[in-house]
Amino acid sequence: MSDDNGSRPARVEDVHELALAMPHVTVEYGTGDNPVYQVGGKSFVFFRNPRPDAVDPATGERYADVIVFWVESEADKQALVQDEASQFFTTAHFNGHPSVLLRGSRIGELTRDELAEVVQDAWLSRASARRAADWLRAHPPA
């Protein structure tokens, strides 16, 4: 999914565009009309309402811009959240859940290509084996 703008900073709008570009995607709307991107009825990216488990440590204000991305495994999750400087994080609420969180306000720390990889990996982690194999055949890893 790389293009001439792939190295530019990612934007929240890119999440929507990239998720919708994946095959067999449907969009449901959760609480507060937040989009939930699904493949085969399984969520792979969604925009979360402010919750008490994701707050600004300085102010205690709930983050209003949290995006949830599914990951393939706990090892993949840890690879994204273990570095304190990483823009990805998790909370106790997501312990044992194969997903990582990202604040929309920090999305520009990723390039569009990096975000595309996160969205594609989220989709692959939730798509059926056949759909994933078909997509991987058409988009072999670099």
Side-chain angles (χ1 to χ4, degrees):
M1 284 196 158
S2 181
D3 59 30
D4 292 338
N5 293 320
S7 60
R8 72 159 166 77
R11 300 184 295 242
V12 171
E13 301 81 51
D14 294 327
V15 176
H16 302 287
E17 180 184 315
L18 292 164
L20 285 170
M22 298 305 294
H24 308 287
V25 169
T26 57
V27 183
E28 298 292 326
Y29 291 90
T31 310
D33 283 334
N34 287 337
V36 178
Y37 295 94
Q38 299 181 335
V39 57
K42 296 178 180 178
S43 303
F44 68 98
V45 173
F46 73 90
F47 288 73
R48 195 169 184 236
N49 287 329
R51 299 281 305 265
D53 66 307
V55 298
D56 184 306
T59 66
E61 295 276 326
R62 294 179 181 186
Y63 293 144
D65 61 344
V66 174
I67 308 166
V68 180
F69 299 88
W70 261 253
V71 294
E72 183 64 34
S73 68
E74 183 65 22
D76 291 331
K77 177 178 185 170
Q78 291 308 313
L80 290 170
V81 302
Q82 67 188 1
D83 180 356
E84 297 256 339
S86 174
Q87 57 277 50
F88 294 100
F89 68 103
T90 190
T91 68
H93 179 78
F94 285 91
N95 283 352
H97 192 271
S99 61
V100 295
L101 311 177
L102 172 66
R103 292 194 62 202
S105 61
R106 293 192 68 185
I107 203 165
E109 295 175 34
L110 297 171
T111 66
R112 187 177 188 284
D113 283 346
E114 289 168 334
L115 178 63
E117 185 176 334
V118 171
V119 171
Q120 291 163 7
D121 287 349
W123 183 90
L124 286 165
S125 76
R126 303 292 283 167
S128 68
R130 192 184 101 243
R131 285 179 177 165
D134 288 348
W135 192 85
L136 287 168
R137 256 192 306 283
H139 303 86

